[in-house]
């Protein structure tokens, strides 16, 4: 069964700290992996999309890496800010899965002053 | 460029009642998705359309849920009759094609009492 897992479920850090969110998936046959941000009561905002042929993608203070062979991705957030507080979701498009996104359950991040 | 539009944003109904949600995708996007997100979980695909044809509806509870996409643009998702366990956020997303980046609307929060 193709599944996506995110650990930890919740994380609280002081402002300014660098942090890493983890995502693992059970099948290395993927098209791409996407990281989303979800604010309370809002929809999903796409942060980074990594194609299966890529190792990492960067946008501002965010860096996402992909290791297909081990079935893992990490989202690195540098110099965290209170505005980064949100739930971060990892989603994978598995090949042979009909092109749908399979989501993890998310990591709820709180950055404290 | 306008994003994915959804309405209503919130809906409260009694169990056994009917409800319908509407989605307008980004102009030019051929693929449209409906996801269900239960509190504390990641979104789960209910149905995927390519233009006005169904690509994947394997996780749609067809005894009570129905969806259509008229003229390959707007889409409606209907629940009839609703159950308590249908309480969730219903997210609509669109993309240029199956494995391209998906863009999400703000969602409709449904509460079934």
């Amino acid at each position: 069964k193709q599944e996506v897992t995110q650990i930890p479920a919740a994380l609280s850090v002081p402002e300014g700290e660098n942090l890493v969110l983890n995502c693992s998936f059970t099948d290395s046959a993927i098209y791409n992996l996407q990281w989303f941000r979800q604010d309370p009561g809002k929809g999903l905002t796409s942060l980074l999309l990594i194609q299966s042929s890529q190792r990492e993608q960067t946008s501002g203070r965010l860096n996402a890496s992909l290791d297909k062979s081990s079935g893992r991705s990490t989202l690195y957030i540098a110099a965290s800010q209170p505005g980064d507080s949100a739930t971060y979701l990892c989603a994978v498009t598995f090949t042979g899965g009909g092109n749908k996104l399979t989501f993890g359950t998310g990591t709820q991040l709180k950055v404290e002053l | 460029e306008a994003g994915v539009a959804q309405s209503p944003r919130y809906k409260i109904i009694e169990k056994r009642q009917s409800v319908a949600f509407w989605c307008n995708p980004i102009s030019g996007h051929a693929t449209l998705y409906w996801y269900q997100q239960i509190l504390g979980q990641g979104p789960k695909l209910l149905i995927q359309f390519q233009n006005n044809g169904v690509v994947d509806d394997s996780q749609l509870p067809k005894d009570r849920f129905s969806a259509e996409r008229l003229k390959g643009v707007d889409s409606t998702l209907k629940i009839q009759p609703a159950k308590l366990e249908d309480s969730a956020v219903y997210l609509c997303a669109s993309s240029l094609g199956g494995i391209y980046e998906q863009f999400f609307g703000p969602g409709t929060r449904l509460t079934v009492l």
Side-chain angles (χ1 to χ4, degrees):
Chain A
K1 186 179 178 182
Q2 295 168 329
E3 294 181 336
V4 178
T5 303
Q6 291 185 249
I7 295 173
L11 181 64
S12 182
V13 300
E15 182 180 12
E17 189 164 300
N18 301 326
L19 60 100
V20 173
L21 306 181
N22 296 295
C23 172
S24 60
F25 45 95
T26 54
D27 186 349
S28 61
I30 69 171
Y31 282 124
N32 56 48
L33 182 145
Q34 206 165 346
W35 282 94
F36 292 89
R37 168 183 174 142
Q38 187 171 35
D39 292 283
K42 301 288 180 65
L44 277 63
T45 301
S46 179
L47 298 173
L48 291 164
L49 172 70
I50 311 178
Q51 301 292 351
S52 62
S53 59
Q54 297 174 320
R55 296 283 294 185
E56 66 178 341
Q57 282 283 0
T58 298
S59 175
R61 295 183 293 109
L62 305 179
N63 176 276
S65 68
L66 175 65
D67 184 342
K68 275 196 314 178
S69 61
S70 66
R72 293 181 182 180
S73 175
T74 62
L75 179 66
Y76 175 83
I77 302 177
S80 59
Q81 303 170 357
D84 295 331
S85 298
T87 296
Y88 290 81
L89 291 157
C90 168
V92 174
T93 305
F94 291 103
T95 59
N99 301 325
K100 66 176 183 284
L101 287 172
T102 300
F103 283 84
T105 52
T107 294
Q108 188 172 6
L109 173 66
K110 183 176 182 181
V111 181
E112 299 175 318
L113 291 168
Chain B
E1 175 181 274
V4 177
Q6 290 187 248
S7 67
R9 292 295 315 280
Y10 305 93
K11 191 73 176 180
I12 300 174
I13 61 173
E14 301 280 336
K15 61 182 178 182
R16 291 188 290 274
Q17 285 186 326
S18 301
V19 64
F21 312 129
W22 174 82
C23 173
N24 179 245
I26 292 173
S27 178
H29 280 195
T31 309
L32 186 146
Y33 310 80
W34 283 101
Y35 290 86
Q36 179 193 57
Q37 186 178 22
I38 293 172
L39 187 64
Q41 299 182 18
K44 179 187 79 173
L45 180 73
L46 292 175
I47 189 167
Q48 176 185 346
F49 291 95
Q50 178 72 20
N51 296 310
N52 57 355
V54 176
V55 174
D56 183 352
D57 63 356
S58 58
Q59 298 191 88
L60 186 75
K62 299 182 185 63
D63 57 334
R64 297 183 300 106
F65 285 65
S66 64
E68 60 180 4
R69 188 179 185 196
L70 298 175
K71 300 179 181 178
V73 182
D74 292 3
S75 177
T76 56
L77 176 69
K78 298 179 181 178
I79 307 175
Q80 180 180 7
K83 293 184 176 181
L84 296 176
E85 58 262 36
D86 298 332
S87 294
V89 175
Y90 290 84
L91 295 162
C92 179
S94 70
S95 72
L96 286 170
I99 59 171
Y100 287 87
E101 185 175 3
Q102 293 184 28
F103 296 87
F104 283 76
T108 296
R109 182 176 296 277
L110 173 67
T111 301
V112 182
L113 302 176

